[in-house]
Amino acid sequence: MKKILSFISVLIVMISCHQTKENPFFSMFETPYGVPPFDQIKTEYYEPAFEEGIKQQNAEIKAIVENPESASFENTIVALDNSGALLEQVSLVFFALDGSNTDSVMQKIATNVSPKLSEHGDNIYLNEKLFTRIKAVHDQNVKNSTILNVGQKRLLDKYYKRFVRSGILLNELEKARLREINKELTMLSLSFGQNLLAETNNYKLIIDNQSDLAGLPEGIISAAAATAKSNGLEDKWLFTLQKPSWIPFLQYAENRTLREKLYKAMYMRCDNNNEFDNKEIINKMVNLRLERANLLGYKTHADFVLDETMAKTPENVNKLLNEVWKYALPQAKKEAEELQQLINKGGVKFKLQSWDWWFYAEKLRKARYNLDEESLRPYFSLENVRNGIFTVANKLYGLNFEVLNNIAVYRSDVTVFKVTDADGSYIGIIYLDYFPHEGKRGGAWMGNFSEQYVKQGKDIRPVIYNVGNFTKPAGEMPALLSPDEVETMFHEFGHALHGLLSTCNYKGVSGTNVARDFVELPSQILEHWAFHPDVLPLYAKHWKTGEIIPEELVKKLKKANTFNQGFMTTELVAAMLLDMNWHTITEKQNINVRSFEKGVLDKIGLIPEIIVRYRSPYFAHIFDGGYSAGYYSYLWSEVLDADAFELFEEKGVFDANIAKSFRDNVLSKGDGEDPMVLYKRFRGTDPNPIYLLKNRGFVE
């Protein structure tokens, strides 16, 4: 019996060793440019890699704590910043794919590892001995501020505050409760996202009567037929809750009953009192976030979050939001009246509803400017738009892009590019993943498979990705994008440039690791180039004929650039105010989510013809992302991007000196200095909010 047990033990060790050798996460990726070897990564490799990654980082933390030498910036702060390489490697890959290419197995792994990662994070940031060393370095810097340079001070301050904000100064009972809260919030957030993905995927509007397609452009009809066919439905048309499907349906479908049905399905996601309902999750998360903030000495969750941002306080955020709301709401009411008049002229009188807005706004745009989105799509093939973005990046920053066909990808429709500088030096790698499918959550985002930083004197270049949910190719047509999709592609590539052009020494402050209300500056400023009259001719070419977009169409586009801004701004700012209201509650309570939401929107006066951009049950930014008490960031950053682009307008949209200054002072610096210091170094002055109001057409 002992021999059998011994044999089994040896066999287990042999199997474990074999798996270790096979598992690519157990060593640095031996691939060109250090990209993930997706052709070698198996789903069963993730959990062992997470376990080993936690184990290795624990050993590294132990070595820092037990280092007999006095605490210094290098042996404590830099050592901590560089720790956890294996864990970071598997985490970045796994959570990237769990967002863009998930399935039930991946979701199960996420459920298993998320509480372990929460506990591991708490073990680090509640480590008394580790904090003692960090505090020693912090106190040294206070006594002698000349020891460290600006970037080193920034990293030191970031870690010191992170420990304090993670509860290191709490008593043991409070720390134990904080651990429970963190773990529960992690799991609730995970459930929120999984519910939203399921609810989005589950709904299907199947059309089998061709007359119900009246008004829809041929490209949209072809796409719906292709979607139906891929779902095993012959001679039918299928519309889903993916944006490239439901938005065109609302814009063009003449069948008002079906528009209402699809729109209601969209805005009732996770609010149907079924297994995917998110209301109780929201109730728990909001109360737990408040309890955590109170434990850490803050009045509200918003106060806790904003302490680390440019805005600093809820009062400053609300001041900006209310100021813009003051301009946006009257404009939205005016637009609603115009749409109602258009309805009345049609002969069949009914009151404008939220599911009518898109349809009649499109009619009004065509009547007023002789312009509709479908006349633009042929000039916005995805490949041409992508090449246009590359051209803009080249003209601004000298960047060049080379497609890499020999790099393994996680889905066949993902493309990979090598990015080099004007002098030919290597910048980084970017993956582009642009089409929706059931394993991908909605929206668009940027992330990285590896960070930029300097290790032992070597500049480690980043591996970045952009993810979108854009219109797919249909029939003989390539993917033809709407103007909104074009703008979104430019936006996410702005984030990518922020990551790619980073030249920081430390991971903790590199790339997009900046304040939440500063991170949107690089993304939003690039949107300004998308439809600029000097830029459109560079890439907007008819997919079939190659004809450059006619100058007349460019003029119409420019003339209509503030059309429907009352609607767009109110639905956006309403969501920002909803976020702030959720996170400025001061007492734990049993919240009726629908009543709370209605109360907030009624109080600010949102008109019933407009639905808030994200209703609470599917507001993933704040309940399954990093934007809780931070969704305002898009508007805060717009003050900066509108002001910054004004300088380009004055000097020329491709002015080399201005572009170099923006690259050197913003894009390359990460969080190496205070963001307002960086911005003013570029701009030479404080940002002027007037340009935001001008861009949205609220002032002359």
Side-chain angles (χ1 to χ4, degrees):
M1 186 66 179
K2 287 183 178 179
K3 288 183 178 180
I4 294 173
L5 290 173
S6 178
F7 173 75
I8 291 173
S9 299
V10 171
L11 187 61
I12 290 171
V13 170
M14 289 174 64
I15 292 171
S16 177
C17 290
H18 179 65
Q19 288 178 341
T20 300
K21 288 179 181 178
E22 275 192 340
N23 193 327
F25 290 115
F26 279 53
S27 61
M28 298 306 292
F29 295 148
E30 296 177 1
T31 55
Y33 315 108
V35 300
F38 288 114
D39 54 341
Q40 300 172 34
I41 295 173
K42 298 178 181 178
T43 308
E44 60 263 31
Y45 290 162
Y46 287 119
E47 289 198 72
F50 275 114
E51 295 288 349
E52 180 62 23
I54 290 172
K55 180 181 174 183
Q56 286 190 15
Q57 189 169 28
N58 283 338
E60 291 162 348
I61 297 298
K62 187 170 185 262
I64 295 170
V65 168
E66 295 181 354
N67 189 335
E69 297 178 5
S70 299
S72 69
F73 179 78
E74 287 294 330
N75 71 21
T76 301
I77 307 303
V78 176
L80 176 59
D81 196 49
N82 288 337
S83 70
L86 191 161
L87 183 59
E88 179 184 75
Q89 187 167 257
V90 64
S91 295
L92 289 174
V93 172
F94 174 79
F95 287 108
L97 268 60
D98 191 45
S100 62
N101 197 40
T102 196
D103 56 27
S104 59
V105 178
M106 291 284 284
Q107 291 179 346
K108 177 65 175 173
I109 294 171
T111 302
N112 291 341
V113 303
S114 292
K116 295 177 183 178
L117 292 174
S118 175
E119 182 179 12
H120 177 63
D122 284 338
N123 287 342
I124 292 174
Y125 292 106
L126 295 175
N127 186 319
E128 295 279 358
K129 292 181 179 178
L130 181 57
F131 180 66
T132 297
R133 291 183 67 89
I134 291 170
K135 187 175 185 301
V137 181
H138 179 266
D139 291 348
Q140 290 168 19
N141 180 63
V142 171
K143 289 179 182 177
N144 186 353
S145 61
T146 62
I147 299 175
L148 304 176
N149 62 36
V150 174
Q152 291 170 331
K153 289 177 182 177
R154 190 79 177 170
L155 184 68
L156 169 60
D157 188 57
K158 202 165 190 175
Y159 273 114
Y160 180 81
K161 285 183 178 177
R162 190 175 296 172
F163 272 77
V164 173
R165 288 168 56 83
S166 296
I168 193 68
L169 302 180
L170 300 179
N171 63 43
E172 292 308 310
L173 193 62
E174 292 169 330
K175 286 177 183 175
R177 178 55 187 153
L178 186 65
R179 285 176 180 271
E180 292 172 1
I181 292 172
N182 288 340
K183 191 173 290 188
E184 190 171 355
L185 280 170
T186 296
M187 299 310 295
L188 288 168
S189 178
L190 188 65
S191 295
F192 185 101
Q194 291 179 352
N195 286 345
L196 179 54
L197 180 62
E199 193 91 318
T200 301
N201 287 339
N202 286 348
Y203 182 82
K204 293 176 173 59
L205 176 64
I206 301 169
I207 293 177
D208 52 16
N209 187 337
Q210 194 164 3
S211 65
D212 288 333
L213 302 171
L216 289 168
E218 188 55 44
I220 303 303
I221 293 172
S222 298
T227 303
K229 192 171 184 179
S230 68
N231 280 264
L233 301 169
E234 295 294 334
D235 301 321
K236 290 181 174 59
W237 298 268
L238 177 58
F239 291 88
T240 71
L241 298 184
Q242 299 286 356
K243 283 185 75 174
S245 184
W246 71 261
I247 286 183
F249 194 90
L250 260 67
Q251 286 176 308
Y252 298 106
E254 293 176 5
N255 189 318
R256 186 172 184 245
T257 301
L258 289 180
R259 290 203 312 268
E260 178 183 359
K261 186 177 181 181
L262 185 60
Y263 195 50
K264 282 185 174 178
M266 186 283 295
Y267 73 65
M268 288 301 292
R269 282 177 297 168
C270 302
D271 187 15
N272 294 302
N273 299 321
N274 58 16
E275 61 182 307
F276 305 119
D277 197 283
N278 274 335
K279 293 194 291 295
E280 186 54 32
I281 288 176
I282 292 169
N283 189 40
K284 289 178 180 177
M285 289 186 74
V286 168
N287 281 303
L288 286 169
R289 283 171 172 173
L290 172 62
E291 184 183 354
R292 181 176 61 186
N294 291 163
L295 266 177
L296 295 169
Y298 294 88
K299 182 180 178 182
T300 70
H301 178 70
D303 287 284
F304 169 67
V305 169
L306 295 171
D307 192 37
E308 288 288 270
T309 64
M310 296 179 76
K312 297 301 180 188
T313 68
E315 291 74 22
N316 290 336
V317 171
N318 287 325
K319 181 181 178 182
L320 172 65
L321 298 183
N322 289 326
E323 181 66 19
V324 175
W325 186 257
K326 185 173 69 177
Y327 288 93
L329 187 59
Q331 181 62 29
K333 290 178 178 178
K334 180 183 175 183
E335 291 168 2
E337 290 174 4
E338 291 171 340
L339 297 184
Q340 186 64 61
Q341 290 171 11
L342 195 60
I343 291 171
N344 295 343
K345 287 178 183 177
V348 182
K349 294 188 178 181
F350 54 84
K351 189 179 187 309
L352 174 72
Q353 300 292 337
S354 58
W355 52 86
D356 297 314
W357 193 292
W358 298 75
F359 182 77
Y360 286 97
E362 197 59 37
K363 280 186 174 295
L364 185 60
R365 189 200 324 252
K366 191 167 186 178
R368 183 173 293 172
Y369 304 104
N370 192 22
L371 177 72
D372 66 77
E373 286 197 356
E374 288 308 303
S375 66
L376 296 169
R377 279 186 188 265
Y379 298 97
F380 294 145
S381 73
L382 185 144
E383 186 174 348
N384 283 349
V385 176
R386 184 195 68 201
N387 291 340
I389 292 172
F390 289 171
T391 299
V392 169
N394 177 266
K395 284 181 166 290
L396 287 172
Y397 309 118
L399 304 183
N400 297 291
F401 301 84
E402 175 192 350
V403 66
L404 300 178
N405 294 315
N406 61 338
I407 297 293
V409 292
Y410 54 89
R411 273 183 66 86
S412 60
D413 54 5
V414 175
T415 53
V416 185
F417 291 85
K418 175 184 176 182
V419 187
T420 53
D421 216 334
D423 61 2
S425 59
Y426 175 61
I427 291 288
I429 297 292
I430 183 166
Y431 289 67
L432 302 178
D433 176 1
Y434 283 148
F435 299 122
H437 58 87
E438 288 199 352
K440 181 188 284 188
R441 64 180 171 89
W445 61 95
M446 165 268 182
N448 51 281
F449 291 123
S450 63
E451 301 262 20
Q452 180 275 325
Y453 69 111
V454 175
K455 183 179 181 180
Q456 297 175 345
K458 181 183 178 182
D459 185 8
I460 308 298
R461 298 310 305 167
V463 179
I464 305 293
Y465 57 83
N466 270 177
V467 179
N469 281 276
F470 303 135
T471 301
K472 289 182 176 181
E476 65 166 357
M477 292 187 295
L480 300 179
L481 306 186
S482 69
D484 180 68
E485 290 175 318
V486 172
E487 190 172 81
T488 298
M489 192 185 288
F490 270 80
H491 177 103
E492 295 306 332
F493 202 82
H495 282 308
L497 290 175
H498 199 187
L500 286 164
L501 296 178
S502 176
T503 57
C504 299
N505 288 325
Y506 311 108
K507 280 190 283 189
V509 294
S510 75
T512 57
N513 292 311
V514 301
R516 181 62 70 191
D517 47 11
F518 189 64
V519 77
E520 298 300 335
L521 167 60
S523 57
Q524 291 180 178
I525 194 171
L526 199 65
E527 294 177 24
H528 290 272
W529 277 266
F531 305 120
H532 195 281
D534 293 348
V535 178
L536 278 167
L538 300 177
Y539 76 90
K541 301 172 184 177
H542 197 283
W543 72 273
K544 188 178 282 188
T545 66
E547 173 199 13
I548 294 175
I549 189 170
E551 188 175 343
E552 180 186 359
L553 205 52
V554 175
K555 288 179 180 177
K556 289 179 183 178
L557 191 58
K558 184 176 181 180
K559 194 175 179 182
N561 70 341
T562 59
F563 175 74
N564 209 33
Q565 274 297 327
F567 167 83
M568 295 177 69
T569 307
T570 50
E571 66 154 8
L572 175 67
V573 177
M576 294 171 175
L577 288 166
L578 180 60
D579 170 32
M580 291 305 296
N581 275 270
W582 274 123
H583 294 112
T584 50
I585 64 169
T586 56
E587 293 182 4
K588 291 181 69 175
Q589 54 197 282
N590 185 21
I591 304 170
N592 182 306
V593 171
R594 285 185 185 175
S595 297
F596 182 91
E597 180 178 279
K598 185 178 185 304
V600 170
L601 301 179
D602 285 349
K603 183 180 178 182
I604 64 175
L606 181 65
I607 58 178
E609 296 88 348
I610 298 177
I611 297 292
V612 61
R613 179 168 294 187
Y614 297 106
R615 288 198 55 239
S616 305
Y618 57 87
F619 204 163
H621 281 82
I622 67 172
F623 294 118
D624 181 35
Y627 282 81
S628 64
Y631 193 60
Y632 78 92
S633 301
Y634 292 96
L635 204 63
W636 187 279
S637 292
E638 191 176 339
V639 172
L640 303 178
D641 76 68
D643 180 75
F645 190 70
E646 185 65 20
L647 187 59
F648 279 99
E649 287 276 54
E650 291 171 9
K651 304 292 185 181
V653 291
F654 291 119
D655 185 272
N657 291 328
I658 301 302
K660 184 178 186 303
S661 177
F662 191 74
R663 176 176 177 171
D664 292 348
N665 292 306
V666 177
L667 295 178
S668 69
K669 288 292 194 268
D671 197 39
E673 291 187 63
D674 180 271
M676 189 54 81
V677 170
L678 295 175
Y679 183 80
K680 289 170 71 172
R681 190 176 296 150
F682 158 72
R683 191 64 167 96
T685 184
D686 288 321
N688 189 340
I690 193 67
Y691 298 115
L692 178 154
L693 298 174
K694 283 185 175 181
N695 284 349
R696 290 184 175 263
F698 298 148
V699 298
E700 294 294 331

